[in-house]
């Protein structure tokens, strides 16, 4: 599928090193396929000789389903095809953070497992986000035996847009709650990393439907105002393509002829084709609307039909998602 520019100006073909950023963040309305896009790009990165790590936030198990493995926990594990994955759950992230600031992990576990303190942690704003940011910083700092970064890129599968906003705007959200200290330095360091276009890009994932596109436009507008993150690409997932968009008159004539001659089978086929073209046109209208309102390259990903995509399907999506676009990404 062709990738198109998401803002005005004369486009120019540019091979953009999307996979060379250290952090690739993904968000979008639930059900748009952002986890699939993240996984496909991880497979593409591994195919290029990189060491990708997919980090799934929250209690979801999407990566386990995509890669067909039994479990994905807090420790990175190989999931096949050169990809590692892990899941960052809040309880584990808080325990790790506490262990770094207390004399022993046993003491940290006792505090985290204390019922009163557990309720206090849950009542405090942004505790889970701060602990998650701490886990990501630890992953960024890991190096291999050769002294090079162990993970590159780190693909972070954020929760749906509401939680992603809290995560990305963390520095602003907690600025009035903490003074100078290690927690404030942690938040500030990660905020600078997320806003650095040479190290981090936020990619939005949507569908070519009215509601997901509207939510994507609204999310983009809010993050533009907050300047909390550098944008990458907006991926439009499951774009229909019939190859019949230029044949509407022929389809109409077939419908009329089939109806006139009482050919029920031909009429059903023509009506099906007409419906498919109508769906494609509605999708194209939403993609055009998206391109008019976001300052990001818009990359279209094809609709694939299998209930559970195979590795070849993911590789195909990853190749398209990482391919060239007709405009430079926002800096």
């Amino acid at each position: 599928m062709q990738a198109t520019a998401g803002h005005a100006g004369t486009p120019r073909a540019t091979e953009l090193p999307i996979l060379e950023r250290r952090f690739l963040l993904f968000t979008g309305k639930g059900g748009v396929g952002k986890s699939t896009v993240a996984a496909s790009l991880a497979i593409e990165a591994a195919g290029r000789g990189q060491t990708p790590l997919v980090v799934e936030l929250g209690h979801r198990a999407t990566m386990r389903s995509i890669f067909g493995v039994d479990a994905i926990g807090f420790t990175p594990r190989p999931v096949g095809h050169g990809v590692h994955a892990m899941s960052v759950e809040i309880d584990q992230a808080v325990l790790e953070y506490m262990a770094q600031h207390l004399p022993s992990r046993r003491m940290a576990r006792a505090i985290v497992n204390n019922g009163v303190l557990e309720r206090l942690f849950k009542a405090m704003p942004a505790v889970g986000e701060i602990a998650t940011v701490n886990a990501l910083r630890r992953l960024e700092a890991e190096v291999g035996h050769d002294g090079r970064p162990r993970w590159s890129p780190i693909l972070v599968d954020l929760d749906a847009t509401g939680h992603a906003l809290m995560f990305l705007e963390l520095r602003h959200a907690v600025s009035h709650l903490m003074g100078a200290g290690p927690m404030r330095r942690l938040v500030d360091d990660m905020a600078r990393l997320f806003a650095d276009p040479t190290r981090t890009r936020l990619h939005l994932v949507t569908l070519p439907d009215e509601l997901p596109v509207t939510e994507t436009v609204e999310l983009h507008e809010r993050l533009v105002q907050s300047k909390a993150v550098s944008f990458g690409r907006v991926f439009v997932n499951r774009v229909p393509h019939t190859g019949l968009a230029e044949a509407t008159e022929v389809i109409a004539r077939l419908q009329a002829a089939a109806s006139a001659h009482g050919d029920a089978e031909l009429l059903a086929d023509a009506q099906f084709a007409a419906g498919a073209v109508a769906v494609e046109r509605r999708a194209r209208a939403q993609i055009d609307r998206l391109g008019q309102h976001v300052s990001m390259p818009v990359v279209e990903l094809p609709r694939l039909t299998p209930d559970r995509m195979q590795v070849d399907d993911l590789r195909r999506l990853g190749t398209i998602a990482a391919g060239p676009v007709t405009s430079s990404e926002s800096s």
Side-chain angles (χ1 to χ4, degrees):
M1 285 290 184
Q2 183 180 9
T4 57
H7 54 83
T10 302
R12 57 187 179 86
T14 307
E15 181 68 40
L16 295 171
I18 178 177
L19 295 173
E20 291 183 11
R21 298 327 195 272
R22 192 67 192 287
F23 276 97
L24 306 180
L25 312 179
F26 298 85
T27 191
K29 183 178 176 64
V32 298
K34 60 184 175 60
S35 299
T36 300
V37 174
S40 66
L41 279 167
I43 291 175
E44 174 69 15
R48 299 184 181 191
Q50 296 176 264
T51 54
L53 171 65
V54 179
V55 180
E56 191 170 39
L57 302 188
H59 294 274
R60 293 170 295 135
T62 310
M63 291 301 159
R64 183 177 68 183
S65 174
I66 289 174
F67 287 101
V69 295
D70 53 356
I72 295 177
F74 195 61
T75 301
R77 62 156 292 179
V79 292
H81 322 294
V83 177
H84 283 68
M86 66 177 289
S87 174
V88 176
E89 297 185 2
I90 290 178
D91 292 347
Q92 296 168 308
V94 170
L95 174 62
E96 180 184 63
Y97 182 82
M98 297 291 291
Q100 293 174 357
H101 295 85
L102 291 172
S104 70
R105 191 172 186 86
R106 181 178 180 181
M107 182 182 296
R109 189 179 298 278
I111 292 175
V112 171
N113 291 337
N114 182 284
V116 175
L117 291 177
E118 181 183 9
R119 289 191 292 273
L120 177 61
F121 287 146
K122 291 182 177 180
M124 292 172 64
V127 167
E129 286 78 9
I130 291 172
T132 299
V133 160
N134 182 66
L136 293 178
R137 185 179 67 171
R138 185 257 299 171
L139 292 169
E140 186 202 21
E142 288 186 9
V143 296
H145 297 298
D146 57 0
R148 301 175 63 184
R150 183 180 179 188
W151 309 115
S152 182
I154 299 171
L155 305 96
V156 184
D157 184 10
L158 298 168
D159 285 332
T161 51
H163 184 268
L165 280 169
M166 176 64 178
F167 184 79
L168 294 169
E169 297 177 344
L170 184 59
R171 177 158 61 175
H172 175 73
V174 303
S175 60
H176 63 290
L177 299 176
M178 60 180 67
M183 188 177 293
R184 180 57 182 266
R185 288 195 296 272
L186 167 66
V187 172
D188 287 346
D189 287 348
M190 292 304 290
R192 284 190 290 269
L193 185 149
F194 288 159
D196 183 349
T198 67
R199 295 190 292 170
T200 302
R201 291 290 172 131
L202 173 68
H203 303 283
L204 307 181
V205 184
T206 189
L207 296 177
D209 298 321
E210 183 175 3
L211 185 59
V213 166
T214 297
E215 184 165 326
T216 301
V217 169
E218 292 173 351
L219 174 64
H220 175 263
E221 290 176 353
R222 175 164 172 175
L223 289 171
V224 165
Q225 295 173 359
S226 71
K227 300 180 180 179
V229 69
S230 294
F231 294 106
R233 302 176 177 188
V234 54
F235 296 103
V236 186
N237 207 9
R238 305 172 198 159
V239 176
H241 179 68
T242 63
L244 299 173
E246 306 301 324
T248 52
E249 292 185 6
V250 174
I251 294 172
R253 288 200 298 269
L254 282 175
Q255 283 184 280
S259 180
H261 291 84
D263 190 332
E265 185 174 351
L266 178 59
L267 180 60
D269 289 343
Q271 289 174 336
F272 179 83
V277 170
V279 169
E280 184 176 353
R281 285 188 167 179
R282 288 195 294 270
R284 176 54 49 194
Q286 292 302 321
I287 294 170
D288 291 343
R289 180 166 74 95
L290 182 67
Q292 293 168 3
H293 289 89
V294 299
S295 56
M296 305 167 67
V298 177
V299 178
E300 300 175 24
L301 301 177
R303 174 186 287 174
L304 301 177
T305 55
D307 293 334
R308 183 172 182 271
M309 285 191 288
Q310 304 300 314
V311 176
D312 287 345
D313 298 317
L314 292 171
R315 286 201 178 101
R316 179 185 174 195
L317 286 181
T319 299
I320 297 171
V325 296
T326 56
S327 176
S328 60
E329 288 158 298
S330 304
S331 59

